[in-house]
Amino acid sequence: MHAFDVLGDPVRRRILELIADGELSAGEVTATVREEFGISQPAVSQHLKVLRENGFATVRAVGTRRLYAVRPDALQEVDVWLDRFRRFWTPHLDALATEIARGKRERRQR
């Protein structure tokens, strides 16, 4: 499966967001995703499997628990691919940062 097919699903993107700050148990991921998306535990397990099998997540067994974490090298590959397109938005973001700074400066001077 292509990286963008994996990342194109909002549930899988949310799971990656959840595990980005550190390991979470399958139960913790499932509880959050079920609450936010209203999907079943088996459906969450399938999304975790897709992330695992496509290299976006790792799983580590600790007793009966399964702890999931982001596998950063898969995301680095996506970042490398996106690099050729940054030129389209970087100048706009730089301009936005300049305008924000200008607005803050004007508010302080009032």
Side-chain angles (χ1 to χ4, degrees):
M1 189 176 274
H2 188 274
F4 289 105
D5 293 326
V6 174
L7 298 174
D9 186 279
V11 173
R12 290 192 285 268
R13 285 195 311 270
R14 180 63 176 131
I15 291 171
L16 285 174
E17 289 171 0
L18 291 170
I19 62 176
D21 293 328
E23 289 181 320
L24 285 179
S25 70
E28 292 170 306
V29 171
T30 298
T32 300
V33 171
R34 287 185 73 189
E35 181 180 313
E36 293 179 7
F37 290 90
I39 63 176
S40 67
Q41 181 275 326
V44 176
S45 292
Q46 281 299 111
H47 285 292
L48 286 166
K49 180 180 177 182
V50 169
L51 290 170
R52 230 181 26 252
E53 289 180 348
N54 288 279
F56 285 90
T58 61
V59 64
R60 182 171 69 91
V62 177
T64 59
R65 294 177 48 175
R66 299 293 176 259
L67 299 176
Y68 284 84
V70 169
R71 193 171 149 241
D73 48 330
L75 293 172
Q76 288 170 346
E77 291 174 20
V78 172
D79 187 52
V80 167
W81 187 86
L82 284 171
D83 197 43
R84 75 177 82 158
F85 301 100
R86 282 195 174 81
R87 64 186 166 93
F88 295 114
W89 67 77
T90 300
H92 300 291
L93 293 176
D94 292 344
L96 177 61
T98 300
E99 289 303 315
I100 290 170
R102 182 176 293 142
K104 287 180 180 178
R105 189 171 43 253
E106 289 174 1
R107 282 193 299 276
R108 282 194 308 266
Q109 291 174 351
R110 288 182 197 167

